Amino acid sequence: MARWAPWQGERGRADADMLPLGRIGIRAERGEDRLCRLTRAEQISLLTLWPVSRSPLMMGGDLPTGPRDTVELLTHEEALDVLFHSRDNREVLREDDLVLWSARGTDGHTRYAAVFSPADAPRRFAVPLGSVGARPDDRARELWTRTDTPHDGRHLHVGLPAHGAALYRLIGARPGASRG
């Protein structure tokens, strides 16, 4: 997706293909009917990469018989806002076990940051706010957990499980409004 990002825009998007989530393998050519074998953290990672890279969400599993928590991830309004209301989506950092994507909100004052860890064990990261275009006084909200997240003005401190991801909305005051 990082390689395709420079060519995306209003006239076209890269397609990362179907999401292998929920109940899959129904009437499969190979394999048996089963639930996907991705952990919850891995499912969140997929459903963070697709919106932050603006890939269409095409479901590969059977929604009516799939787990409720899979449907909740697929319909998470705050995460879907990134897919529908962002631009300039791109990977901005790939270093050791940290992959960072950023995007600008179409409203002109919102930034999005997606933090990924391909590590096989839990990790903590200090994500530089400047690398996603955020300002020291921007408010941060982790979208999957729907929690406001404090930061030290320079770094966003993120703890991720193995193969995990977090998706943040960073927002400042609108131009002309006080930043109190």
Side-chain angles (χ1 to χ4, degrees):
M1 293 307 295
R3 289 182 189 154
W4 294 342
W7 289 278
Q8 295 198 98
E10 293 307 312
R11 297 181 62 207
R13 298 182 187 182
D15 178 1
D17 211 347
M18 277 198 260
L19 293 159
L21 300 175
R23 187 168 169 228
I24 58 176
I26 301 165
R27 296 178 302 280
E29 204 174 287
R30 284 173 294 223
E32 62 223 32
D33 182 2
R34 63 180 170 80
L35 291 178
C36 82
R37 294 184 179 124
L38 298 173
T39 66
R40 173 87 173 169
E42 290 166 339
Q43 290 179 49
I44 288 173
S45 288
L46 273 179
L47 288 171
T48 299
L49 181 59
W50 263 241
V52 80
S53 65
R54 299 201 63 210
S55 178
L57 297 179
M58 293 189 303
M59 179 62 182
D62 184 55
L63 283 175
T65 60
R68 172 183 244 170
D69 59 338
T70 299
V71 174
E72 288 171 358
L73 289 174
L74 287 163
T75 59
H76 192 289
E77 288 181 21
E78 290 185 72
L80 289 174
D81 277 347
V82 181
L83 177 63
F84 298 124
H85 304 291
S86 64
R87 64 177 183 243
D88 301 328
N89 307 55
R90 66 188 190 284
E91 184 181 293
V92 294
L93 179 69
R94 181 178 289 263
E95 189 174 281
D96 300 322
D97 287 329
L98 172 65
V99 178
L100 179 63
W101 277 69
S102 76
R104 292 187 308 145
T106 55
D107 62 7
H109 69 278
T110 301
R111 298 293 298 191
Y112 295 103
V115 184
F116 299 92
S117 175
D120 292 330
R123 291 288 313 268
R124 291 203 56 78
F125 300 100
V127 177
L129 289 173
S131 60
V132 294
R135 296 175 295 198
D137 55 346
D138 283 353
R139 294 180 319 246
R141 178 174 177 83
E142 204 290 318
L143 302 182
W144 291 113
T145 60
R146 294 182 167 94
T147 57
D148 293 333
T149 306
H151 57 81
D152 64 15
R154 292 184 341 188
H155 295 93
L156 188 60
H157 298 279
V158 181
L160 295 176
H163 309 152
L167 183 59
Y168 292 93
R169 180 178 61 230
L170 300 135
I171 189 167
R174 293 185 185 266
S178 71
R179 297 191 75 132

